Structures are given as structure tokens and as C-alpha cells.
Amino acid sequence: MKSYRKELIFKTPNRRDYINITPQVEEALRESGIKEGLCLVNAMHITASVYINDDERGLLKDFDDWLDSLAPHEPISRYRHNGAEDNGDAHLKRQVMGREVVVAVTNGKLDFGTWEQIFYGEFDGRRPKRVLIKIIGE
Ligand code: ZN
């Protein structure tokens, strides 16, 4: 069995951003040379998510509005976590959107359902943060 590991780094311009990282994951899969197996992609920070959904501008804004209605950023005093930090909301948003995804690798391609794309969801950005890609298979 082969395995391949790669880290991506994102420094988003805004506190919250949603980035389609499918091209970077496909590039890692090509680099791995793996044709059949599994591809794990996870955020390496507890205030960011990796998730799969549609790359549609309206939906990205809907996610953001929905998450901020569940866990509004402000007032920051509403979160016991805040004090030295102001990212209490970001921890909660990450928990809703999840830590990682696993995609089957078939014939050297990510074996997606219709419209599926891999996203990096940032909830406390403007600093460098890492995403791990781990691919195993043959
Ligand atoms: Zn925190």
C-alpha cells in the first residue's frame, strides 16, 4: 500500500471565507500516483472546517448567514471562551461544519457525487492555517 501526505496553507483576507480546494486536492492525488484508495482532507485548526457541498455563490452566502445566526461573532462577550481571544463563535461554527472529509479514489480520480466539491471553511482567518491531505491506496 502506498501513502502520500501533503499540507496546504491558507491565509484568508477575511475573518470568514469559503474556498473551493478541489483543484489542490486533485493535484495532490496526481502527485501521489495512487489510483485506488481513500483520500482524507482535514482542517488542522479548531476554528476551520473541511466540508463537501456545492460550489454555488448563493449557497456559500447562505451557509455564512446560517452559521452566523447560530453563533454570531458579536457581541464577543456572549462567549465564555472569549477573553484573550475573540473566536468563540469560530469554534462553534467549525463544530457544525465538521473537521474532515473522506473521498473514494477510483481510477486515479476523486469519486464525487453530482456537484460535490471540497471546501475549506475559515471562521477565524487572517493568519496562516493548515489543511492536511492524506491519501492511501495502490
Ligand atoms: Zn479560541
Side-chain angles (χ1 to χ4, degrees):
M1 188 194 75
K2 288 197 278 192
S3 78
Y4 182 81
R5 183 185 190 280
K6 185 177 189 178
E7 290 183 14
L8 307 176
I9 296 179
F10 297 97
K11 183 179 177 184
T12 63
N14 303 305
R15 178 178 295 276
R16 296 198 303 278
D17 275 300
Y18 305 86
I19 302 169
N20 186 338
I21 63 170
T22 309
Q24 290 98 316
V25 178
E26 289 173 337
E27 183 182 5
L29 179 56
R30 280 192 297 276
E31 291 162 0
S32 76
I34 291 169
K35 301 297 181 198
E36 296 291 326
L38 293 172
C39 176
L40 167 79
V41 187
N42 70 267
M44 299 180 82
H45 298 263
I46 51 181
T47 54
S49 291
V50 172
Y51 68 93
I52 290 180
N53 215 300
D54 193 1
D55 190 358
E56 194 277 312
R57 189 174 303 271
L59 181 62
L60 296 179
K61 181 70 175 134
D62 289 340
F63 275 134
D64 192 60
D65 288 350
W66 177 64
L67 288 168
D68 211 49
S69 69
L70 286 174
H73 176 64
E74 291 178 315
I76 60 172
S77 61
R78 69 182 273 148
Y79 301 103
R80 283 175 286 269
H81 177 69
N82 288 336
E85 291 190 285
D86 67 350
N87 64 4
D89 67 305
H91 289 271
L92 301 180
K93 289 173 170 114
R94 180 267 170 87
Q95 207 62 25
V96 169
M97 296 301 276
R99 171 181 182 266
E100 78 275 311
V101 300
V102 178
V103 182
V105 174
T106 305
N107 291 326
K109 304 272 190 214
L110 297 172
D111 202 342
F112 285 129
T114 307
W115 303 114
E116 285 190 332
Q117 296 283 288
I118 304 171
F119 281 84
Y120 176 67
E122 175 62 80
F123 311 118
D124 184 25
R126 301 175 296 192
R127 57 197 170 101
K129 293 168 79 170
R130 294 180 297 157
V131 167
L132 174 66
I133 302 172
K134 181 88 178 193
I135 307 167
I136 58 171
E138 306 276 323

